[in-house]
Amino acid sequence: MAVSARSRTVLTLYSSRDCVHCHRVRLVLAAKGVTYDLVIADPARPPEDLLDLNPYGSLPTLVDRDLVLYDTGVICEYIDERYPHPPLMPVDPLSRARVRLAIVRVEKEWLPLAAQAAGSTKAAEGARRQLREGLIAALPLFKAAKFFLNTEISLADCALAPLIWRLPSLGVSLPREAAPITDYGERIFRNPGFSRSLTPEERALRE
């Protein structure tokens, strides 16, 4: 017998099998070491229990008892505040603002290009070129600290790492001078939490 969406008593994440936004939330949960139920859903055909919770039927959707959240950024900040250890945002306001602006850049500039990069059309080729150039232009940010603008892993890394993971499958190859970006990705990918955040479909993107 299926568990009703509104009868769940443990943290539940509705996620697709391969989605940079869903992966971002799973990575935050893995970084926190939070136990949760993962419900895999087809974004093209949202299940009825998801539609009952979220009128948009969008993924990811997080359910924490009576609370339902369905904006990726809101979900990630909620998890960080709900489970404060280890913190994924700096303590001081200036550093927090910088991390938030970095997330905006990922969301507004790079993720839309990644979504357009699939396929062999001229538009996809152009998106891959723009994404490559955008990342190379941001090299100083990757060189500034061990993680993205911070000495410790933050919500910005959770937004960025799923994209870096997908670059080879998108056909985006980085030149030799972009080694700091590749090294940055490998530091995160070696973390056991990153491995736990992957679905089998996402793991296969690098196999």
Side-chain angles (χ1 to χ4, degrees):
M1 181 177 178
V3 178
S4 168
R6 295 195 178 276
S7 68
R8 292 181 179 275
T9 57
V10 298
L11 193 71
T12 302
L13 176 67
Y14 288 80
S15 167
S16 68
R17 296 181 184 278
D18 177 13
C19 165
V20 68
H21 301 288
C22 296
H23 189 182
R24 173 180 167 187
V25 174
R26 285 186 261 110
L27 185 52
V28 173
L29 288 164
K32 296 287 186 176
V34 176
T35 300
Y36 65 100
D37 280 351
L38 178 63
V39 179
I40 297 296
D42 182 351
R45 292 183 295 177
E48 289 186 9
D49 58 342
L50 176 59
L51 291 172
D52 179 54
L53 293 163
N54 174 356
Y56 304 105
S58 59
L59 300 170
T61 294
L62 184 78
V63 184
D64 191 2
R65 297 183 182 272
D66 294 329
L67 177 67
V68 180
L69 300 174
Y70 40 82
D71 175 87
T72 306
V74 172
I75 292 172
C76 291
E77 291 219 11
Y78 172 77
I79 295 169
D80 189 41
E81 293 173 359
R82 173 77 169 79
Y83 304 94
H85 301 290
L88 294 179
M89 287 291 278
V91 175
D92 66 288
L94 178 60
S95 296
R96 292 171 75 89
R98 285 174 174 164
V99 167
R100 287 193 172 103
L101 281 177
I103 294 171
V104 169
R105 185 172 189 177
V106 173
E107 293 176 335
K108 300 292 187 182
E109 295 184 24
W110 296 339
L111 293 187
L113 290 172
Q116 299 166 24
S120 56
T121 65
K122 286 187 177 180
E125 182 180 345
R128 288 193 289 271
R129 184 180 63 255
Q130 290 180 61
L131 179 56
R132 182 186 303 109
E133 291 172 352
L135 289 168
I136 293 171
L139 266 174
L141 302 181
F142 288 92
K143 295 177 179 178
K146 181 178 180 181
F147 294 100
F148 202 60
L149 295 177
N150 203 38
T151 56
E152 303 291 339
I153 191 169
S154 75
L155 291 182
D157 300 292
C158 294
L160 181 56
L163 170 63
I164 303 298
W165 178 260
R166 286 163 170 77
L167 290 181
S169 66
L170 293 172
V172 177
S173 57
L174 297 174
R176 183 176 298 177
E177 60 265 28
I181 299 175
T182 304
D183 294 343
Y184 161 84
E186 291 303 322
R187 279 197 298 275
I188 294 181
F189 303 157
R190 287 194 295 267
N191 189 296
F194 187 87
S195 181
R196 291 196 303 272
S197 76
L198 294 166
T199 63
E201 289 77 9
E202 289 165 340
R203 194 180 302 278
L205 296 176
R206 286 267 181 155
E207 293 177 351

